[in-house]
């Protein structure tokens, strides 16, 4: 009987090592403690068995679960930009959701998406709050050196909408966006806005003569504002934006895995399928 | 398809392991009673009790001379762990869990309020009867601690902390540790003077209870640290 239990211990310890999900491993570790508690009882040390039972099965398992409750998640913070990543009737939707869900599944984490404002994105990345920035992110969107950009899954244009004649005011641009990669703009000529909606409103009311944004975000915003742009608006393409994700610069490992996943998803044609589903 | 196959076989394996385990425990417990090897050893200790400790109380001579030390060293390890955690708790940023609510489940909260008194009584019983049966101060304290863990799960850690008056508990923890260690060390050095002449062998029960309290408070300290720095349960 003792040999049987000892073999069971051996088997359990191997099973713990083989588990892919950490939570399963922790639970098996609890079973391991239970079995060793039985062994203690068997060889005539009931008080050690009681202690092992209380500590190993209940207490340590609980501590591990608490410690894991934060670890087993892929925290994504995002701006809500349909059709990239958005909420409809209380449910998350969007092409980025599908991509991130697949990625989280591959690295055995639970996906958790939190929508935040444009300005909060950089302050929350890194540390425990967030792992990945999503929501129509493209390199240059946030002027932040602490970020690493992932591979891109989709391209679009950075567009400037403006009125050439009879307009006054500066060019509107979102706070934090860094234009240096795309075009030469006199910084003094820019006026910064905290949201795209506000910027479109300011343009329509004639406070600024134009604004710059990526086309994906812009069409979502124009749909939301639900008023036509002023007459005589012209669209100029400034360059190409590459939509992707951003992770904290310290998280090299996560970046590598995300890039691997994106490469593989692009190769297998999954990303093209998703894009044609969501963008039509 | 292969994924589904894999998970079904793992589930079957788990079920088999659990059934075998509980079967073995039940059968084992039946055969344990009156195990000849164990009771023969017990008889030897009883016979030699006088020469082991020079104290005529046989229960004490076995408990105080052997098992008490294992409780003490368990306490030592545990106190080191608690000390480490309290030191590190100042280094880690704490999460404001005030806004987060514990899981609202009627099953958990109802069973917690039903089970907690039973667990607590069992823990106290183990501490009180440590010199007579299996258990001991350490195990009693830990079992009380798992009871409070259940309460924290059901009602939220912050509320539980308020109910248990954490601040005064911390001072009590050191007082109790001091009491237990001084009796134990003096007893180890001068067993006859302490246990026969000065305090009587009954003091061992008091020491066990104080160890249980210390461990109980320590368990709570560890729990509360994790909740504070890792988010609500």
């Amino acid at each position: 009987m003792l040999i049987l239990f000892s073999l069971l211990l051996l088997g359990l310890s191997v099973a713990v090592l083989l588990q892919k999900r950490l939570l399963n491993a922790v639970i098996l570790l609890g079973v391991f403690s239970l079995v060793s508690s039985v062994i203690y009882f068997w060889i005539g040390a009931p008080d050690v068995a009681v202690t092992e039972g209380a500590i190993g099965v209940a207490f340590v398992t609980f501590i591990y679960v608490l410690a894991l409750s934060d670890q087993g998640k892929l925290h994504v913070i995002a701006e809500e930009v349909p059709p990239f990543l958005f909420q409809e009737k209380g449910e998350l939707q969007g092409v980025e959701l599908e991509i991130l869900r697949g990625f989280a599944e591959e690295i055995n984490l639970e996906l958790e998406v939190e929508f935040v404002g444009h300005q909060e994105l950089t302050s929350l990345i890194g540390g425990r709050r967030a792992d990945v920035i999503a929501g129509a992110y493209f390199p240059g969107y946030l002027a932040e050196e602490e970020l690493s950009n992932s591979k891109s899954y989709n391209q679009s244009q950075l567009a400037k909408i403006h009125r050439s004649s009879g307009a006054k005011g500066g060019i509107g641009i979102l706070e934090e966006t860094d234009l240096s990669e795309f075009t030469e703009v006199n910084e003094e000529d820019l006026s910064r806005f905290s949201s795209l909606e506000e910027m479109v409103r300011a343009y329509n009311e004639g406070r600024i003569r134009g604004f710059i944004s990526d086309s994906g975000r812009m069409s979502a915003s124009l749909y939301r504002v639900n008023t036509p742009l002023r007459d005589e608006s012209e669209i100029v393409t400034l360059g190409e934006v590459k939509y992707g994700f951003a992770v904290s610069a310290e998280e090299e490992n996560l970046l590598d895995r995300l890039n691997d996943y994106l490469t593989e998803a692009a190769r297998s044609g999954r990303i093209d399928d998703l894009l044609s589903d969501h963008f039509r | 398809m292969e994924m589904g196959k894999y998970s079904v076989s793992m589930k079957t394996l788990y079920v088999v392991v659990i059934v075998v385990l509980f079967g073995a425990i039940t059968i084992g417990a039946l055969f344990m009673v009156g195990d000849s090897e164990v009771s023969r050893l017990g008889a030897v200790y009883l016979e030699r009790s006088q020469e082991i400790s020079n104290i005529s109380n046989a229960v004490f001579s076995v408990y105080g001379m052997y098992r008490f030390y294992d409780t003490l060293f368990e306490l030592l390890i545990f106190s080191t762990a608690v000390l480490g955690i309290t030191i590190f708790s100042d280094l880690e940023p704490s999460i404001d869990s005030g806004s987060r609510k514990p899981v609202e489940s009627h099953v958990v909260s109802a069973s917690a309020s039903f089970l907690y008194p039973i667990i607590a009584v069992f823990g106290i019983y183990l501490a009180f009867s440590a010199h007579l049966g299996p258990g001991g101060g350490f195990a009693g304290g830990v079992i009380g601690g798992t009871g409070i863990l259940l309460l924290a799960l059901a009602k939220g850690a912050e509320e539980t902390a308020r109910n248990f008056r954490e601040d005064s508990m911390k001072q009590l923890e050191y007082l109790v540790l001091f009491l237990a260690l001084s009796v134990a060390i003096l007893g180890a050095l001068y067993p006859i003077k302490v246990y026969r002449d000065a305090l009587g062998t009954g003091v061992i029960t008091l020491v066990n209870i104080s160890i249980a309290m210390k461990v109980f408070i320590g368990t709570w300290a560890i729990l509360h640290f994790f909740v504070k720095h890792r988010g609500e349960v």
Side-chain angles (χ1 to χ4, degrees):
Chain A
M1 201 68 181
L2 200 61
I3 293 167
L4 189 89
F5 272 111
S6 308
L7 286 177
L8 191 60
L9 272 192
L10 208 63
L12 276 169
S13 50
V14 172
V16 168
L17 291 176
L18 289 181
Q19 290 304 309
K20 258 188 146 185
R21 277 192 70 191
L22 284 173
L23 188 66
N24 288 358
V26 165
I27 290 168
L28 279 182
L29 213 57
V31 180
F32 180 90
S33 287
L34 190 63
V35 175
S36 48
S37 158
V38 172
I39 291 180
Y40 289 137
F41 186 63
W42 192 265
I43 58 178
D47 65 325
V48 184
V50 169
T51 310
E52 177 70 41
I55 289 269
V57 181
F59 196 63
V60 171
T61 307
F62 180 75
I63 294 280
Y64 270 131
V65 169
L66 254 191
L68 277 182
S69 65
D70 213 41
Q71 300 277 303
K73 282 178 184 154
L74 181 72
H75 289 277
V76 174
I77 48 170
E79 250 180 288
E80 195 168 354
V81 183
F84 293 85
L85 188 55
F86 62 106
Q87 223 169 350
E88 197 173 72
K89 292 171 194 151
E91 274 191 39
L92 290 170
Q93 301 204 0
V95 60
E96 287 189 348
L97 181 75
E98 307 280 341
I99 296 174
L100 288 169
R101 203 172 257 166
F103 174 60
E105 199 170 296
E106 178 161 301
I107 62 173
N108 275 306
L109 294 177
E110 197 183 315
L111 182 68
E112 197 178 73
V113 179
E114 188 185 351
F115 288 118
V116 297
H118 171 74
Q119 305 94 322
E120 289 170 279
L121 284 172
T122 41
S123 62
L124 289 177
I125 192 78
R128 285 224 184 88
R129 279 300 301 275
D131 304 310
V132 178
I133 291 182
Y137 173 86
F138 58 91
Y141 181 59
L142 301 169
E144 172 69 49
E145 286 167 7
E146 304 295 305
L147 293 177
S148 305
N149 299 312
S150 79
K151 288 217 165 90
S152 160
Y153 63 88
N154 191 18
Q155 284 89 28
S156 172
Q157 272 86 42
L158 187 73
K160 178 169 141 186
I161 294 189
H162 68 130
R163 288 187 72 181
S164 43
S165 58
K168 52 186 191 307
I171 298 284
I173 180 91
L174 285 175
E175 284 169 5
E176 310 265 344
T177 303
D178 180 14
L179 283 176
S180 56
E181 275 183 50
F182 302 101
T183 173
E184 298 233 336
V185 190
N186 185 4
E187 187 69 29
E188 284 169 17
D189 196 29
L190 299 176
S191 45
R192 297 274 176 179
F193 287 86
S194 60
S195 82
L196 193 55
E197 278 79 8
E198 208 180 302
M199 203 152 77
V200 174
R201 211 167 288 131
Y203 173 72
N204 276 345
E205 290 166 5
R207 279 182 280 139
I208 49 173
R209 72 165 195 276
F211 63 97
I212 297 175
S213 177
D214 58 293
S215 49
R217 192 170 270 106
M218 202 182 292
S219 51
S221 166
L222 291 181
Y223 177 74
R224 223 180 309 179
V225 173
N226 203 17
T227 44
L229 286 173
R230 292 165 75 183
D231 300 336
E232 294 171 48
S233 293
E234 281 177 33
I235 298 181
V236 182
T237 304
L238 296 180
E240 193 174 60
V241 294
K242 294 184 166 73
Y243 292 116
F245 305 98
V247 303
S248 166
E250 295 159 16
E251 303 255 19
E252 288 165 20
N253 189 20
L254 184 68
L255 183 71
D256 287 346
R257 293 170 90 170
L258 182 57
N259 280 340
D260 289 348
Y261 179 77
L262 288 172
T263 313
E264 175 58 29
R267 199 188 57 77
S268 66
R270 182 168 148 71
I271 286 190
D272 287 338
D273 292 348
L274 286 174
L275 288 176
S276 59
D277 280 357
H278 287 269
F279 288 97
R280 258 179 286 272
Chain B
M1 284 318 280
E2 208 176 319
M3 192 62 207
K5 229 182 196 174
Y6 172 74
S7 64
V8 165
S9 70
M10 277 313 271
K11 257 183 201 163
T12 328
L13 184 70
Y14 288 148
V15 171
V16 168
V17 165
I18 288 168
V19 168
V20 167
L21 208 63
F22 278 95
I25 292 171
T26 320
I27 295 166
L30 287 177
F31 282 106
M32 262 312 281
V33 185
D35 185 303
S36 57
E37 175 72 11
V38 175
S39 47
R40 200 170 50 76
L41 259 177
V44 174
Y45 281 121
L46 279 182
E47 260 169 39
R48 295 178 50 209
S49 76
Q50 189 74 26
E51 60 183 282
I52 287 167
S53 65
N54 277 324
I55 292 169
S56 52
N57 187 334
V59 171
F60 175 80
S61 66
V62 173
Y63 187 79
M65 292 296 119
Y66 295 101
R67 267 194 50 206
F68 189 49
Y69 292 107
D70 99 20
T71 304
L72 272 184
F73 279 99
E74 281 168 345
L75 181 66
L76 186 70
I77 291 168
F78 193 75
S79 301
T80 316
V82 173
L83 194 68
I85 282 171
T86 30
I87 289 170
F88 277 107
S89 71
D90 293 337
L91 301 178
E92 284 253 325
S94 64
I95 294 171
D96 177 30
S97 57
S99 55
R100 292 211 212 162
K101 285 262 172 266
V103 189
E104 300 233 342
S105 158
H106 290 296
V107 179
V108 174
S109 61
S111 58
S113 43
F114 170 70
L115 282 175
Y116 178 69
I118 299 176
I119 297 174
V121 165
F122 184 57
I124 293 167
Y125 162 76
L126 281 186
F128 266 90
S129 69
H131 54 294
L132 293 175
F138 185 78
V142 172
I143 285 172
T146 53
I148 206 171
L149 188 157
L150 188 68
L151 267 196
L153 265 179
K155 298 192 161 63
E158 292 307 323
E159 198 193 318
T160 317
R162 274 195 296 280
N163 288 345
F164 278 83
R165 295 196 179 80
E166 205 179 34
D167 304 332
S168 44
M169 292 257 277
K170 275 198 177 125
Q171 284 154 13
L172 187 70
E173 183 185 5
Y174 293 113
L175 181 77
V176 151
L177 183 65
F178 175 74
L179 192 89
L181 283 183
S182 46
V183 170
I185 290 169
L186 285 176
L189 293 176
Y190 314 106
I192 297 173
K193 273 194 188 135
V194 172
Y195 291 129
R196 197 180 60 190
D197 302 341
L199 296 169
T201 48
V203 77
I204 211 90
T205 312
L206 275 179
V207 174
N208 263 327
I209 291 160
S210 55
I211 286 174
M213 279 170 88
K214 152 80 194 148
V215 172
F216 174 72
I217 298 168
T219 314
W220 171 245
I222 293 179
L223 243 179
H224 199 200
F225 161 79
F226 269 92
V227 169
K228 233 195 223 153
H229 299 275
R230 293 278 179 169
E232 187 58 85
V233 187

